[in-house]
């Protein structure tokens, strides 16, 4: 079995070592000696840095990898403490009512609740909410290839899903726009950040190996964790089944 697991630097470099059937020290030596800036200066290149790094790496090693059997992903969210994902990770088309129920539960007994119930039942004018709620194209579920990207959203340029899932933030923004009152912090305080690790089968190995290798290059040799050091998973409106979930990590 040849999985790709980017839980941390050690799991990533071990995965690549097994996939290419080479020693970890060979990978470290290549990454230490390779100068990506010089590589671009000396060659007329149009490809992205992660793809160029992978191409140079494979040329240096003189081999192609084994086929990846499984890719491990990290679904980032903020939800109720007791949420155990017993139904798997659902796309938005199947989970939107459940998310509203979480909001209603948090604001039960407050003056916010009847307003929120009207928002759900009658609709509201927040563009991003309506875009995601009405089009299955945006249903996900989504996840990250590199676990560390969960904590570097600003550096990489991703939404901070541990701070708040996008759709819940859209509801909070819609509430503020409708009633000129903030509820974001109340909702945030009632929820806890979690990372759900799950696996999927590989479809296109190069799409995963390039960012995984760039992640190693960035972490081991002082490069910034840019967008090239990660890859996003899109479930395309299909659920992640309970059997695919490895574990749920509560982030303190």
């Amino acid at each position: 079995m040849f999985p790709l697991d980017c839980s941390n630097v050690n799991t990533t470099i071990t995965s690549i070592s097994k996939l290419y059937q080479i020693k970890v020290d060979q990978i470290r030596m290549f990454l230490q000696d390779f100068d990506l800036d010089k590589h671009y200066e000396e060659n007329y290149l149009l490809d992205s840095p992660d793809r160029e790094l992978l191409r140079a790496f494979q040329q240096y090693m003189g081999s192609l990898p084994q086929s990846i059997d499984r890719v491990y992903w990290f679904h980032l969210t903020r939800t109720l403490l007791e949420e155990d994902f017993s139904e798997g990770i659902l796309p938005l088309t199947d989970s939107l009512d459940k998310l509203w129920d979480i909001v209603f539960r948090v604001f039960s007994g407050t003056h916010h609740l009847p307003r929120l119930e009207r928002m759900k039942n009658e609709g509201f004018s927040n563009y991003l909410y309506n875009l995601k709620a009405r089009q299955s194209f945006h249903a996900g579920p989504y996840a990250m290839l590199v676990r560390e990207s969960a904590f570097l959203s600003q550096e990489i340029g991703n939404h901070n899903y541990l701070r708040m899932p996008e759709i819940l933030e859209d509801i909070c923004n819609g509430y503020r726009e409708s009633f000129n009152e903030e509820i974001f912090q109340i909702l945030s305080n009632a929820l806890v950040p979690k990372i759900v690790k799950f696996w999927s089968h590989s479809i296109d190995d190069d799409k995963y190996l390039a960012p995984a290798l760039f992640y190693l290059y960035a972490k081991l040799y002082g490069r910034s964790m840019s967008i090239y050091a990660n890859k996003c998973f899109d479930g395309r409106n299909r659920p992640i089944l309970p059997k695919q979930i490895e574990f749920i990590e509560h982030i303190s």
Side-chain angles (χ1 to χ4, degrees), residues 60-78:
Y60 175 84
M61 294 301 169
S63 63
L64 295 175
Q66 302 293 316
S67 294
I68 300 173
D69 297 308
R70 285 186 175 184
V71 180
Y72 288 97
W73 301 92
F74 302 90
H75 174 70
L76 317 177
T77 190
R78 194 178 190 96

Side-chain angles (χ1 to χ4, degrees), residues 4-65:
L4 178 62
D5 183 351
C6 297
S7 294
N8 53 51
V9 167
N10 288 335
T11 61
T12 305
I13 201 166
T14 299
S15 294
I16 292 176
S17 171
K18 291 179 179 178
L19 283 163
Y20 284 91
Q21 298 184 319
I22 55 178
K23 295 180 179 179
V24 166
D25 286 346
Q26 290 178 272
I27 302 171
R28 290 182 178 273
M29 185 178 301
F30 167 80
L31 294 175
Q32 184 175 13
D33 293 342
F34 187 73
D35 187 329
L36 187 59
D37 293 330
K38 184 178 180 181
H39 179 72
Y40 268 89
E41 290 173 2
E42 294 178 349
N43 300 276
Y44 180 72
L45 302 170
L46 297 176
D47 218 339
S48 61
D50 58 325
R51 300 284 299 179
E52 279 302 322
L53 180 65
L54 179 64
R55 183 181 293 114
F57 174 75
Q58 293 185 159
Q59 185 177 13
Y60 175 84
M61 294 301 169
S63 63
L64 295 175

Side-chain angles (χ1 to χ4, degrees), residues 168-234:
L168 292 183
E169 186 168 329
D170 297 336
I171 291 172
C172 292
N173 290 338
Y175 188 93
R176 184 189 67 245
E177 293 158 3
S178 298
F179 303 105
N180 196 30
E181 194 170 353
E182 286 284 357
I183 61 171
F184 180 94
Q185 200 58 53
I186 299 172
L187 183 59
S188 176
N189 291 343
L191 306 179
V192 295
K194 298 182 183 182
I195 299 179
V196 185
K197 182 180 181 180
F198 67 92
W199 60 266
S200 75
H201 293 296
S202 176
I203 299 173
D204 187 339
D205 292 359
D206 283 0
K207 288 185 178 179
Y208 313 130
L209 284 170
L213 190 65
F214 199 90
Y215 163 63
L216 289 179
Y217 188 54
K219 293 302 297 181
L220 292 174
Y221 301 107
R223 286 273 175 171
S224 63
M225 278 283 290
S226 67
I227 192 173
Y228 302 111
N230 187 42
K231 182 73 177 176
C232 294
F233 172 91
D234 183 353

